[in-house]
Amino acid sequence: MSDSSPLEADATIISETTTDTTSETKPLPRVTLKPRRALPFFGRHPWVFAGAISRIEGSPEPGTEVILQSDKGEFIARGLFNANSNIRVRLYSWDETQEFDDAFWLNRLEQAVALRESVGLLDSFETTGCRLVFSEADQLSGLTIDRYGAWFLVQFSSLALSMKQDLVIRFLKERFPAKGIWLRTEKGMRDAEGLEISDQLLDGEAPPEHFFLEENNIRYGMSMVTGQKTGFYLDQRDNRLAVARYVKNHRLLEMYCYTGAFALNAVIHGQAQSVVAYDSSQSAIEQAKANAELNGIGNRIQFETGKAYAVLEKLKADGEQFDSIILDPPKMARHRSGVKQALKGYFSLNRLAFDVLKPGGILVTCSCSGLISQQDFQQMLASVSQHTGRHLQILEQRGQPADHPVSPSCPENHYLKCFICRVL
């Protein structure tokens, strides 16, 4: 039995009631979809475009947490809002009770790191590199982090997630012996997301002008600050080794060689007889030459500046023939409206390569355009085979390594296609 008097009991009840009322949280803004637009989001696709939205209840500011619901009022997911972007909402949780507190984001970051640890990509820490966080595939849509040694290159493609920058920095500093954290910006994000940021040092020491990366027992000089993307194309790591198995004693041609990674793997691991490699960037060619010298094979690879289509036309006119050809062009489709034109570009490029490839030769052809599917790319190759009258055999269909995982709910993040083919 309580020792309190009735008056004291009444006071306690009033006090508790008052406390409960003042602690109630304000309801989250709700984003309602148009009829028949909900299925992809029930299926966990993380991008809600403006055209799918019927109405917005509340006045969410950029970065505000919102609830996504169907036109019937059914809960679908929780996400972050950005009125500046055509992707109005990026979804992060399909649990109605999940709060987006610091613990939520830190747990997502830790899950991403655990994958890279489990596959050995954080071993030999000081000299290796990997993608530590891969946006949608790591349930962190709008955030990419690459690691080179003890430096971390952070990229935001979401205004809302960029507001978590301090939390990301704190995580990296507490989780790793980080020497420096550098922000790299992606072309077009200012317009696409309203992101007013520029490349800069976020914490610690700036990356060195030249960093020496080890991959597949090959050393590369690269720049995290001025190099393309974050300085190196980590996503082709496994494909370079796979291609090397097919080029023993070959005379090999490579287009879009950047700093020479496919070429070096072909010679060192594949025992290619010789390689001639082209890129349109003079600075990339200079770095590629330095990388070949660094690994003691400068006399086995000829690096030249040139644009792929023009080079292939000239090689055809000169009657040149190669045992194998590698095509690894930059992204050709940045928007859905550009897919048709991009497929024409891939067709023309591969059609030209057929003309300088010996019968029975190996064609390695890649696409990093996420809007072009594996099926679309394969159909393009079928068209090239048809137009040239040459039979093509696909020996391997390859994609991204483990640090660039794929979420089946978001097909766009399955961006890398690498076909190893034999052309008769």
Side-chain angles (χ1 to χ4, degrees):
M1 182 174 177
S2 171
D3 292 331
S4 61
S5 69
L7 285 175
E8 288 173 332
D10 288 344
T12 301
I13 293 169
I14 292 168
S15 173
E16 288 176 351
T17 304
T18 304
T19 302
D20 288 343
T21 301
T22 56
S23 64
E24 285 181 1
T25 55
K26 186 178 179 181
L28 293 175
R30 289 184 173 263
V31 176
T32 302
L33 296 168
K34 294 176 180 177
R36 298 182 297 280
R37 292 296 188 95
L39 188 59
F41 310 112
F42 277 120
R44 302 178 72 89
H45 197 291
W47 302 339
V48 183
F49 286 95
I53 295 172
S54 170
R55 67 181 185 277
I56 299 170
E57 298 172 24
S59 303
E61 296 292 324
T64 298
E65 185 179 345
V66 297
I67 297 291
L68 181 71
Q69 62 185 20
S70 72
D71 63 301
K72 298 179 177 64
E74 304 162 289
F75 170 82
I76 299 176
R78 296 169 78 117
L80 298 179
F81 184 80
N82 183 8
N84 301 313
S85 174
N86 193 33
I87 303 178
R88 284 288 193 272
V89 185
R90 290 178 187 261
L91 302 177
Y92 298 97
S93 176
W94 282 257
D95 178 353
E96 192 168 4
T97 64
Q98 178 68 66
E99 294 183 10
F100 288 177
D101 54 13
D102 285 2
F104 171 81
W105 301 110
L106 291 170
N107 181 59
R108 287 284 167 88
L109 289 164
E110 183 57 41
Q111 286 179 340
V113 171
L115 167 63
R116 282 71 182 177
E117 280 185 327
S118 70
V119 295
L121 288 170
L122 298 183
D123 299 343
S124 305
F125 192 83
E126 290 296 322
T127 57
T128 61
C130 73
R131 176 147 292 179
L132 198 68
V133 174
F134 185 40
S135 199
E136 288 77 23
D138 283 308
Q139 303 181 86
L140 287 164
S141 178
L143 173 64
T144 298
I145 304 175
D146 285 345
R147 176 194 67 82
Y148 297 101
W151 278 272
F152 296 83
L153 284 293
V154 177
Q155 282 188 312
F156 291 106
S157 55
S158 159
L159 172 64
L161 216 58
S162 73
M163 296 177 178
K164 310 295 180 187
Q165 177 177 292
D166 290 346
L167 187 68
V168 171
I169 293 170
R170 174 158 64 89
F171 172 81
L172 293 174
K173 290 175 67 177
E174 291 177 357
R175 186 65 170 76
F176 299 101
K179 290 183 179 178
I181 302 170
W182 184 267
L183 179 67
R184 284 291 302 253
T185 53
E186 190 172 335
K187 183 180 179 182
M189 283 303 105
R190 181 186 296 265
D191 294 333
E193 286 284 312
L195 260 172
E196 298 290 337
I197 56 176
S198 58
D199 289 22
Q200 60 183 288
L201 181 66
L202 298 179
D203 192 86
E205 305 171 21
E209 186 176 349
H210 294 289
F211 178 77
F212 290 95
L213 173 73
E214 291 186 13
E215 182 186 277
N216 299 338
N217 295 315
I218 299 173
R219 296 187 74 208
Y220 301 92
M222 46 85 68
S223 172
M224 304 177 215
V225 174
T226 62
Q228 295 177 24
K229 295 295 184 181
T230 58
F232 196 76
Y233 288 92
L234 296 161
D235 53 2
Q236 293 279 27
R237 179 194 308 113
D238 297 343
N239 296 334
R240 293 173 188 128
L241 273 181
V243 169
R245 297 196 295 265
Y246 293 90
V247 298
K248 186 175 182 179
N249 297 325
H250 281 202
R251 182 177 182 236
L252 186 151
L253 171 68
E254 182 184 358
M255 309 306 304
Y256 310 98
C257 68
Y258 189 42
T259 54
F262 265 113
L264 268 66
N265 276 268
V267 171
I268 294 171
H269 295 302
Q271 300 176 45
Q273 183 182 69
S274 65
V275 179
V276 55
Y278 290 87
D279 197 278
S280 61
S281 167
Q282 182 59 41
S283 61
I285 290 296
E286 289 171 2
Q287 184 64 67
K289 289 178 179 178
N291 288 339
E293 293 291 343
L294 180 65
N295 289 275
I297 56 169
N299 62 331
R300 303 274 297 279
I301 308 175
Q302 178 185 345
F303 288 106
E304 300 286 349
T305 305
K307 294 186 177 181
Y309 293 88
V311 168
L312 289 169
E313 290 279 14
K314 186 176 187 308
L315 290 171
K316 176 185 175 182
D318 293 343
E320 294 277 11
Q321 292 278 287
F322 294 87
D323 301 298
S324 52
I325 297 174
I326 299 172
L327 305 174
D328 187 20
K331 185 186 292 186
M332 289 194 185
R334 295 189 177 276
H335 306 284
R336 292 197 182 279
S337 59
V339 167
K340 186 175 180 180
Q341 190 61 36
L343 285 169
K344 288 182 180 179
Y346 285 118
F347 175 89
S348 298
L349 181 65
N350 285 271
R351 173 71 180 81
L352 285 167
F354 269 47
D355 290 333
V356 292
L357 184 64
K358 290 180 180 178
I362 296 295
L363 172 68
V364 180
T365 181
C366 307
S367 165
C368 62
S369 301
L371 293 171
I372 291 177
S373 69
Q374 192 103 343
Q375 184 178 356
D376 289 339
F377 199 69
Q378 183 170 323
Q379 184 55 53
M380 176 276 299
L381 289 174
S383 296
V384 175
S385 174
Q386 176 188 345
H387 281 78
T388 59
R390 294 181 67 177
H391 184 62
L392 180 143
Q393 299 169 310
I394 297 174
L395 309 181
E396 294 189 41
Q397 297 183 52
R398 304 184 59 86
Q400 299 149 221
D403 55 338
H404 294 67
V406 173
S407 166
S409 304
C410 183
E412 293 87 347
N413 70 180
H414 183 199
Y415 69 96
L416 183 61
K417 282 75 63 180
C418 177
F419 283 59
I420 304 176
C421 310
R422 180 171 176 248
V423 181
L424 299 176

